Amino acid sequence: GQGHVVYNASLGQSGNERSVLGQGASGAVVRNLAFVNIQGQERSGGIIAYGSGYTIDNCFMEMQYNGGNSTVASGNNPAGILAGKVSGGAAVRNSIAVVTFSETPNFSVGAIAGKTEAGGLVEKSYAYVNLSEQTVLSTENVGNTQNAENCGVYTSAAQFAEMDRTDFDADLWEFGTGVVPTFKNAKMKELLAVTPTVNKTEMDIIVGERSKLEIGGKLYEITADAAGVTVSTDGWIDVAATATPDTTAVVTIRSAFDPARKVEVTVNVLAVPTNTYTLTFTKPSGDLFVGTAYDMPVAITEDGTPLTTDAYEVVVTPSAHATYDKATGKLTINDSGSFTVEMRYLNAHHTETIES
C-alpha cells in the first residue's frame, strides 16, 4: 500500500463479503494501507470479510458503523472493523481501527475482527471506539477461538501510550501525545482534520436533570470543567443534584485526531424551579408503518395551566428510527423495530417505548 489511503467507501447492506476487498485468498497480504470515511453496518468485515492464510499488517481503518441499522446477527459471520473471519493461519497485526458507532448495535461487533478460527490470529492491534465495553473480537461464539494477543480497545486517545509499537513501521506511522496514531500521508490528515459540530452552544440544565447535545464530525473526546457536570460520549450532559445553581460549566468537544480542533458549549446550571411543570404525550397506537406520520401532540402545563412553548427537547433512541416535528406534532416512522421517545421541559419529562 506504500502508505496510501482509500477513502469514501460504503460496505453495503447485504451479503457476507461486506468489506472493501472481499474475500482474502491464501497468501494475500494487505500492508501499509489506510481506509478512511468507510461506512459499515450489519456483518461488515472492514478490509477483508473472510478467508484463510491472508495477512493484514500495518493498516489503519476509520469507520462509521451504523449500529441503528444493524439487526441481523450471525455467530458464524460476525462483524469486525478490520476483518470479519480470521481463519486458517490468517493474521491481523500491527494495525489500528477507529470506529464511531451511530448507536449501540444489537449484537457484538469486534473492534478489531469478528472472529478467529482454525489458527487465525490477531496481535498487536488496537481500536479506539466511542462506546464502552467493546471487545477486540466479537463475543458471537460460533467457532470463535478468541485468539487475540497484545491488543487493546480504548475510549481515550491518551490510552494509545500503552500500545506496543515495536513492529509498527516508524516510517509510516505518526505517533503523538494524546492523539490517535495515523499515517504521515497528507491526504489522510486532510480527511481526518474535522472540527466537531454541535446543535447548540449554550444549554440551560436544572440541577438533577440532563439534556442531550447532538454532536457531529469524526471521533471526538468530550470533557466538562465543573464539579457535578458529567458528559457521555453520546452527548448526554448530566447535572448532579449536588451541583451549585447559578453557575456555569464549559463542555469541550475535541477531535481525537487533532485536539486543536474543538468546540465549546456553555452549560448554565439552574436551580429547581418553584413552579410545578408537567409534560405528557400519547404515543400512537395500533400498527405503525415505515414512511407514515402519526399524530403525537405534546401537552405542557405550569402550575396546572396549559403552557404554549416549543422549547422542549425530543430525543429518539435509536435516532434513525423516527423523526418528530414540533410544528405539526407528528412522529414519522423511518425504520422498523423498537425505539424510545423521550421529551423534556425544565424538570418535567416523559418517555415512551414504541414498536413499528
Side-chain angles (χ1 to χ4, degrees):
Q2 299 179 348
H4 290 294
V5 56
V6 176
Y7 55 95
N8 298 347
S10 175
L11 303 188
Q13 298 183 10
S14 63
N16 293 337
E17 297 183 24
R18 196 173 306 160
S19 65
V20 178
L21 300 180
Q23 181 180 0
S26 180
V29 178
V30 183
R31 178 178 288 127
N32 301 348
L33 191 59
F35 301 82
V36 175
N37 286 350
I38 308 302
Q39 307 294 322
Q41 60 186 326
E42 300 285 5
R43 292 178 289 178
S44 295
I47 301 172
I48 290 177
Y50 66 95
S52 300
Y54 68 83
T55 298
I56 295 174
D57 179 38
N58 271 276
C59 287
F60 177 99
M61 167 66 74
E62 186 264 328
M63 179 186 292
Q64 294 88 50
Y65 188 91
N66 187 351
N69 197 34
S70 297
T71 57
V72 181
S74 172
N76 190 47
N77 295 288
I81 303 305
L82 282 167
K85 287 184 185 179
V86 185
S87 310
V92 177
R93 53 172 59 99
N94 310 316
S95 296
I96 289 176
V98 176
V99 55
T100 303
F101 291 97
S102 64
E103 312 281 354
T104 300
N106 294 321
F107 55 88
S108 175
V109 175
I112 301 295
K115 67 187 290 187
T116 58
E117 60 182 8
L121 172 65
V122 174
E123 62 176 345
K124 292 184 181 178
S125 294
Y126 306 88
Y128 183 19
V129 301
N130 67 330
L131 292 178
S132 60
E133 300 181 2
Q134 301 306 300
T135 53
V136 171
L137 299 172
S138 167
T139 56
E140 303 282 339
N141 282 317
V142 178
N144 195 340
T145 59
Q146 295 286 335
N147 192 14
E149 300 177 359
N150 198 8
C151 296
V153 179
Y154 303 143
T155 55
S156 167
Q159 292 176 280
F160 279 100
E162 305 169 4
M163 65 179 283
D164 184 347
R165 304 178 185 178
T166 305
D167 296 316
F168 280 75
D169 187 340
D171 293 329
L172 176 73
W173 293 91
E174 183 169 277
F175 297 98
T177 301
V179 296
V180 177
T182 60
F183 285 7
K184 297 175 181 178
N185 179 295
K187 183 62 179 181
M188 181 179 183
K189 291 178 177 295
E190 175 190 331
L191 292 167
L192 296 174
V194 177
T195 301
T197 61
V198 293
N199 64 330
K200 59 187 77 173
T201 56
E202 186 170 7
M203 308 173 74
D204 295 335
I205 306 178
I206 295 169
V207 294
E209 299 296 332
R210 65 195 321 228
S211 186
K212 181 72 180 292
L213 183 67
E214 300 297 336
I215 307 173
K218 295 291 182 185
L219 201 62
Y220 53 82
E221 302 202 327
I222 182 169
T223 57
D225 70 349
V229 178
T230 58
V231 294
S232 63
T233 54
D234 60 356
W236 277 106
I237 301 178
D238 289 88
V239 176
T242 55
T244 304
D246 302 320
T247 59
T248 61
V250 176
V251 172
T252 303
I253 303 99
R254 291 185 174 88
S255 165
F257 303 101
D258 181 0
R261 293 181 174 273
K262 64 181 181 179
V263 61
E264 294 182 341
V265 177
T266 300
V267 176
N268 301 310
V269 179
L270 306 181
V272 176
T274 56
N275 295 350
T276 300
Y277 295 92
T278 66
L279 182 153
T280 59
F281 63 89
T282 301
K283 67 180 182 180
S285 59
D287 295 330
L288 307 183
F289 298 96
V290 173
T292 304
Y294 298 90
D295 289 326
M296 198 170 76
V298 178
I300 301 174
T301 67
E302 179 182 13
D303 291 335
T305 301
L307 183 65
T308 301
T309 178
D310 65 355
Y312 56 93
E313 180 177 34
V314 182
V315 179
V316 177
T317 306
S319 60
H321 275 62
T323 305
Y324 185 74
D325 187 337
K326 291 182 181 180
T328 62
K330 290 183 179 291
L331 180 76
T332 300
I333 307 299
N334 301 325
D335 200 359
S336 59
S338 177
F339 61 94
T340 62
V341 176
E342 180 176 359
M343 297 193 186
R344 310 179 71 90
Y345 178 73
L346 298 178
N347 58 342
H349 32 82
H350 183 184
T351 302
E352 292 282 0
T353 298
I354 298 175
E355 299 284 343
S356 62

